Amino acid sequence: MAHHGGRGRRGPADARRALRREAPSTVAVVADPAGFAAMRRYTTFAFHDHPHYLRQTEGLLRSLTAQGIHTRVGLFDPGDYERFCAQERIDPDTRDSRARYVAEIAATGATVRYRGQPLGRLLPLLLAGWERQDVWERATDLLTGLGACADCGKDLGQEALDDAAGILARLAAAAGPGTHHLVCSVSGETGPLVAVLHTGRTPHHRPGTDAAGELVFRTVLAAGLAAGRPGGVVMRTTRDGREEVRGWSLGDGRLRPLTEAEVFSAYCTDTRTGEPVPPEPGLTYSAGFPLPGHGTGERRHERREDGH
């Protein structure tokens, strides 16, 4: 007798398990004790001990992975959750509301794929991703709020993004081979906007850049350019075993190269106390190089008088 076992002979339970493996999951974690304490005010939040909560969460992640389910991990931020519930006009003290918030994180938030890593190794990555997302959103809000030029009608935010992209391209081209660690900081109304970008070029001119990091860096730089906020850009380059640092000052919508003495002073001064700190051994302090095509013309834009 022929055996006719095939795909069509699977029972309902087998079919559901097969479908479950094709349905991705997102688990959101309350990462820090302060956030966990904030969640304990909700009566439907069943946990009372943060370490125990993290162990249970890690057990859930391992269980999902063992079932072959594609799983991602995100941060559950109590403050953001409270704002989400207020915006959606839902009760924050329900399991359904928390599930809806996690679905929102899955769609729009910074998540990391779970591959069996210890949760302790994932949390720093999640926190870094969350901070980067927050910086990008604040910088984007600033650019959007600028509106259009009253004289020419151009979108001021988009024009600044185009300028920032050109500046970043010129920085990368002038920096040459090596690995480059760039930091852009801009003064903001709700705190400083800080973006970090790691990039590099091989001797054969093959670039390697973090696309998400580049987007955030470009947006923060554009915010500083368009809004005329004070700030700066620092580039630390490693090449042939040597390290070199350069800098530019941001103000009035322009990047100005710092002199060697200014770079040395900036790096060798404690920003909190103003006291001098010893220079790093083996680090070369160099003047920032000019950026051709940037700052050669003056654009006079006026915002539309429509609330922007």
Side-chain angles (χ1 to χ4, degrees), residues 20 32 52 84 98 107 109 122 129 158 196 209 219 227-228 251 292 306:
R20 183 68 186 94
D32 63 300
H52 173 71
F84 170 80
R98 291 196 291 274
L122 275 182
Q158 184 58 55
V196 178
T209 302
T219 307
D306 57 1

Side-chain angles (χ1 to χ4, degrees), residues 187-257:
S187 173
E189 292 181 356
T190 58
L193 298 169
V194 180
V196 178
L197 176 62
H198 299 276
T199 185
R201 291 177 57 192
T202 69
H204 300 291
H205 304 287
R206 289 193 296 270
T209 302
D210 170 16
E214 182 176 324
L215 172 64
V216 178
F217 188 96
R218 189 169 67 243
T219 307
V220 169
L221 177 56
L225 293 172
R229 297 284 177 83
V233 172
V234 173
M235 174 187 288
R236 185 164 180 151
T237 297
T238 302
R239 181 170 41 234
D240 299 327
R242 298 190 301 272
E243 287 192 300
E244 181 181 30
V245 63
R246 301 175 186 272
W248 293 261
S249 174
L250 178 61
D252 297 324
R254 294 288 180 264
L255 272 182
R256 177 184 68 83

